[in-house]
């Protein structure tokens, strides 16, 4: 999953999958959703991040 984030493969279509994966790793559901939102905002704010540049 981390590799997919770093490669920019993950997008909004896989948000439920990422949340489910975090929940399966015993992260509470609300926290899992918060983490996904936080990480996606960081990724979107950094130009060139995740586009193999």
């Amino acid at each position: 999953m981390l590799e997919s984030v770093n490669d920019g493969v993950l997008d909004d279509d896989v948000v439920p999958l990422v949340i489910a994966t975090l929940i399966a790793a015993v992260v509470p559901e609300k926290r899992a959703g918060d983490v996904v939102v936080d990480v996606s905002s960081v990724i979107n704010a950094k130009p060139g991040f995740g586009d193999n540049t």
Side-chain angles (χ1 to χ4, degrees):
M1 185 167 63
L2 181 58
E3 184 177 320
S4 295
V5 170
N6 290 338
D7 291 343
V9 174
L10 294 180
D11 57 21
D12 290 338
D13 294 335
V14 297
V15 167
L17 172 65
V18 174
I19 292 172
T21 301
L22 290 170
I23 292 169
V26 193
V27 175
E29 183 177 357
K30 180 170 179 359
R31 180 67 182 135
D34 292 344
V35 167
V36 170
V37 169
D38 290 346
V39 170
S40 65
S41 66
V42 169
I43 290 170
N44 292 331
K46 293 187 176 186
F49 187 84
D51 64 4
N52 297 325
T53 60

